[in-house]
Amino acid sequence: MIRVLLADDEHLIRGAIAALLDLEDGIKVVAQVGRGDEVVAAVAEHTPDVAVLDIEMPGMDGLTAAERISGQAKIVILTSLGRPGYLRRAMAAGVSGFLGKDASAEELAMAIRKVHGGGRYLDADLAAAAMTAGDSPLTDRETDALRMAGDGAAIAKIAAELHLTEGTVRNYLSSAMTKLNAQNRLEAIRTAQRMGWL
């Protein structure tokens, strides 16, 4: 029996996926959570074989949660956001499966079985988009500064948290805007998010 944890903030979708998976032979949903920051504790408590995580969740995104539970369970990302950068980040986080929410229940079950058996399962369209999109042009510091700015943090707060001067933070944000061909910070944030680099 493959023990599965489901993490998705959309209660109706999570419940429907759980009901459909429970109809599959050899798969049992042992836990469900609606927030990303509940994933680590749920994995510790229920010891699933496979964790199926949505990317966009409150508290912590699915990719960060995947990084935290890597090695404790096999991970499948199920998302409606097919951004190329997400697939690259997911692979770096130790994710073995990545598919869209438009997948059928049979396809999700197949992905869970394949990942549980030690294989990988990648949505072909998402994989092709990731290969054509290329890597993020942003440095780690530019990414950190842009992500924090996207969360609404002021320059002073970003500087304090990253242990930088305010001028250095402005330089990182300006550099990110230039690299992303953005007219302003908001446009840079949106471009980076659309590409899955944040």
Side-chain angles (χ1 to χ4, degrees):
M1 186 66 69
I2 302 172
R3 296 167 52 83
V4 174
L5 162 78
L6 285 179
D8 191 310
D9 64 322
E10 297 179 60
H11 184 74
L12 185 62
I13 290 174
R14 187 176 70 242
I17 293 169
L20 290 169
L21 286 178
D22 280 340
L23 295 173
E24 293 285 333
D25 287 334
I27 296 177
K28 177 167 180 56
V29 176
V30 296
Q32 298 181 47
V33 297
R35 294 177 55 89
D37 53 6
E38 297 172 338
V39 170
V40 175
V43 167
E45 180 181 348
H46 300 282
T47 61
D49 301 306
V50 179
V52 178
L53 311 176
D54 186 15
I55 287 183
E56 294 281 322
M57 292 187 284
M60 178 187 301
D61 67 78
L63 294 176
T64 303
E67 291 165 354
R68 300 227 175 128
I69 63 167
S70 184
Q72 299 173 54
K74 303 286 187 179
I75 304 164
V76 173
I77 294 290
L78 186 62
T79 183
S80 57
L81 304 169
R83 297 175 181 158
Y86 283 168
L87 177 58
R88 291 174 182 271
R89 190 172 157 213
M91 295 298 104
V95 170
S96 299
F98 197 95
L99 66 160
K101 281 188 177 177
D102 59 349
S104 66
E106 293 80 14
E107 185 178 7
L108 176 58
M110 184 170 53
I112 289 169
R113 290 185 180 102
K114 187 165 186 177
V115 164
H116 179 257
R120 286 195 183 273
Y121 191 94
L122 302 177
D123 178 280
D125 292 336
L126 294 175
M131 293 201 306
T132 58
D135 293 325
S136 171
L138 304 174
T139 66
D140 290 342
R141 284 298 196 178
E142 290 165 348
T143 301
D144 291 342
L146 208 54
R147 181 178 292 116
M148 291 179 72
D151 290 339
I155 298 289
K157 182 174 182 186
I158 297 170
E161 204 157 313
L162 297 179
H163 307 290
L164 301 169
T165 67
E166 291 182 27
T168 301
V169 169
R170 283 188 190 90
N171 288 341
Y172 281 134
L173 292 172
S174 176
S175 177
M177 290 182 329
T178 300
K179 288 179 179 180
L180 298 176
N181 198 25
Q183 298 298 313
N184 55 51
R185 210 178 292 163
L186 183 59
E187 187 180 334
I189 291 164
R190 286 183 179 154
T191 298
Q193 286 173 335
R194 187 180 70 251
M195 294 304 293
W197 295 330
L198 289 184

